[in-house]
Amino acid sequence: MAETLRQRLVRGYAYQIYVDGTKRFTDINAQYHEEVKQYAATYFTVEPFATEENRTKQLDIALVNGWITQQEYDETVAYKVS
């Protein structure tokens, strides 16, 4: 099934915020915030060496670099356990 425009935007925003650091949550429409956090919780790592292809702690790096706040980090990680 093809990816919808909304799904593509969510994926793009998640990468720009958590992986590249080129955007912040304040840069995107608030209606996307929770979906972006859910996407990041599902596809990005907290623990090192989660997969062979991905050897970084993506969520931790985003926090340390100031790309996300502690609150945004906590809210994202909460989706990993729910």
Side-chain angles (χ1 to χ4, degrees), residues 9-47:
L9 286 171
V10 166
R11 179 173 48 86
Y13 290 150
Y15 275 90
Q16 291 170 327
I17 292 170
Y18 291 92
V19 177
D20 300 334
T22 56
K23 282 200 183 296
R24 306 291 184 270
F25 277 101
T26 54
D27 297 331
I28 66 171
N29 191 308
Q31 69 178 347
Y32 293 103
H33 288 194
E34 294 310 308
E35 289 175 83
V36 169
K37 291 172 189 173
Q38 290 171 349
Y39 184 92
T42 302
Y43 295 104
F44 300 155
T45 61
V46 174
E47 65 283 342

Side-chain angles (χ1 to χ4, degrees), residues 61-78:
I61 290 170
L63 177 63
V64 168
N65 286 334
W67 302 339
I68 59 174
T69 65
Q70 183 67 52
Q71 180 179 349
E72 292 162 346
Y73 176 88
D74 294 341
E75 290 168 354
T76 302
V77 172

